[in-house]
């Protein structure tokens, strides 16, 4: 039967993430918004997120709020066409899971039909009904707590969350409620390391930290941040492993210089006529009707 045929490469699955959490093997997640980044990421990470961060990282928006379901669909399709081995997660953008159960299921279901294996959504207690409804429809959900960028206006900016007792305790409660509602993992963003560690040890599901210290079950960073591809001021929690922007800029400017000097293209980048045809071309004269 075709639906149980053996895949050529073992794809990362949700039960695998759970097993790794139990074995203490740290999970690595990054973003991808196109097929080039997806292929680079898939050579090494466990989870690829088509994040709504595409809005500020690639589309020139100030924050993630203008990102729509259609935009995520467009980028998700590009990533899904690469058939990644990594678990592919689609981000539910602002207003795609707030208006009602039916619309939430349609939006998330559309992501799964386009190749995602799961969706991620921001928020705690207020979103529990939507999480339950999705899980009931066999749509795996990754939760996201702490500095949730879609709440930028409520938070009054991109500020570390959970530094006050009531905030910290609410986050721990929310984490438990999301687990209980069926989330298979939680992203913990922009919270003190001690709080993330406490949440991680209290939960059975994996936590994936971003600006949440090393006590999580895994880590996520935006692809462009790891590779130094943006010029924006980088948050404290980012560690950059390449100065990608400068590297690519330098390569492109060397090519531009070669074009301007005539050094590009050379014989090795040019096509040649077959022997004998050169004479025919040389003896050709324009046939201008008078
Ligand atoms: O959209 C995104 O990139 C995210 C990650 C930073 C977790 O939500």
């Amino acid at each position: 039967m075709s639906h149980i045929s053996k895949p050529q490469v073992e794809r990362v699955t949700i039960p695998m993430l759970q097993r790794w959490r139990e074995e203490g093997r740290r999970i690595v997640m990054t973003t991808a918004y196109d097929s080039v980044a997806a292929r680079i990421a898939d050579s090494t990470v466990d989870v690829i997120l088509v994040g709504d961060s595409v809005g500020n990282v690639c589309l020139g928006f100030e924050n993630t709020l203008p990102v729509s379901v259609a935009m995520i669909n467009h980028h998700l399709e590009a990533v899904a066409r690469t058939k990644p081995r990594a678990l592919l997660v689609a981000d539910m953008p602002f207003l795609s899971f707030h208006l009602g159960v039916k619309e939430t299921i349609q939006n998330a279901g559309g992501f799964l039909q386009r190749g995602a294996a799961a969706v991620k959504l921001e928020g705690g207690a207020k979103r529990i009904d939507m999480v339950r409804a999705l899980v009931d429809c066999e749509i795996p959900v990754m939760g996201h707590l702490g500095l949730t960028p879609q709440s930028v206006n409520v938070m009054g900016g991109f500020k570390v969350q959970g530094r006050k007792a009531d905030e910290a305790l609410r986050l721990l409660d929310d984490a438990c409620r999301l687990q209980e509602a069926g989330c298979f993992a939680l992203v913990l963003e922009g919270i003190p390391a001690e709080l993330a560690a406490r949440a991680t040890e209290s939960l059975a599901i994996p936590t994936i930290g971003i600006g949440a210290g090393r006590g999580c079950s895994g880590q996520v960073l935006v692809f462009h941040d790891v590779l130094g591809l943006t010029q924006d001021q980088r948050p404290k929690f980012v560690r950059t492993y390449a100065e990608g922007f400068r590297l690519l800029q330098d390569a492109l400017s060397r090519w531009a210089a070669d074009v301007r000097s005539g050094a590009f293209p050379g014989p090795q980048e040019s096509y040649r006529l077959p022997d004998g045809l050169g004479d025919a071309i040389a003896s050709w004269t324009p046939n201008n009707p008078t």
Side-chain angles (χ1 to χ4, degrees):
M1 284 188 353
S2 61
H3 66 282
I4 53 168
S5 65
K6 206 165 163 239
Q8 293 194 316
V9 277
E10 199 180 13
R11 285 195 151 180
V12 176
T13 62
I14 289 166
M16 266 184 212
L17 297 186
Q18 182 60 33
R19 199 175 68 233
W20 293 346
R21 188 249 185 271
E22 283 153 24
E23 292 168 357
R25 170 176 160 177
R26 290 201 168 91
I27 298 161
V28 185
M29 169 163 139
T30 191
T31 55
Y33 319 122
D34 60 42
S35 61
V36 175
R39 288 202 177 93
I40 297 171
D42 198 42
S43 63
T44 188
V45 307
D46 306 312
V47 184
I48 292 178
L49 172 71
V50 181
D52 63 354
S53 52
V54 67
N56 47 295
V57 175
C58 288
L59 303 180
F61 296 123
E62 236 169 68
N63 54 46
T64 57
L65 299 183
V67 175
S68 64
V69 170
M71 291 177 198
I72 295 289
N73 278 339
H74 177 73
H75 292 278
L76 170 62
E77 284 170 5
V79 172
R81 278 183 210 116
T82 69
K83 302 197 184 322
R85 173 203 47 86
L87 188 85
L88 182 53
V89 180
D91 222 355
M92 303 275 311
F94 182 56
L95 292 187
S96 71
F97 57 100
H98 305 74
L99 304 180
V101 167
K102 189 171 168 205
E103 200 167 336
T104 302
I105 293 170
Q106 268 167 352
N107 290 330
F111 293 155
L112 261 64
Q113 287 172 332
R114 286 173 173 82
V119 299
K120 175 174 84 56
L121 59 83
E122 296 183 9
K126 282 187 273 185
R127 307 294 159 221
I128 293 293
D129 289 346
M130 297 303 174
V131 172
R132 276 193 218 287
L134 292 171
V135 173
D136 272 356
C137 290
E138 317 303 334
I139 300 175
V141 181
M142 178 181 276
H144 186 164
L145 291 173
L147 195 176
T148 45
Q150 291 171 17
S151 313
V152 57
N153 292 308
V154 179
M155 294 181 302
F158 296 103
K159 296 179 179 158
V160 175
Q161 301 294 298
R163 276 186 161 149
K164 296 187 187 129
D166 60 330
E167 275 179 15
L169 298 179
R170 191 172 341 113
L171 185 134
L172 292 171
D173 284 344
D174 281 351
C176 289
R177 292 189 65 180
L178 286 169
Q179 170 175 272
E180 194 267 325
C183 282
F184 71 90
L186 288 188
V187 169
L188 298 176
E189 177 164 358
I191 59 172
E194 302 88 329
L195 180 57
R198 182 79 184 104
T200 302
E201 70 187 19
S202 316
L203 296 170
I205 57 173
T207 59
I208 317 241
I210 171 163
R214 59 168 66 173
C216 297
S217 328
Q219 296 290 325
V220 53
L221 280 180
V222 166
F223 179 90
H224 293 64
D225 286 340
V226 180
L227 300 180
L229 290 169
T230 55
Q231 284 189 300
D232 309 339
Q233 215 198 338
R234 293 172 194 145
K236 172 185 165 73
F237 59 77
V238 168
R239 190 182 293 177
T240 294
Y241 287 80
E243 285 306 329
F245 192 93
R246 254 194 285 136
L247 206 77
L248 299 183
Q249 201 176 38
D250 174 58
L252 203 65
S253 76
R254 284 188 286 115
W255 171 69
D258 280 355
V259 171
R260 290 183 183 118
S261 73
F264 177 88
Q268 67 277 27
E269 292 103 5
S270 303
Y271 300 105
R272 303 301 309 263
L273 280 172
D275 284 349
L277 218 67
D279 292 346
I281 286 183
S283 59
W284 172 84
T285 50
N287 182 13
N288 288 334
T290 48

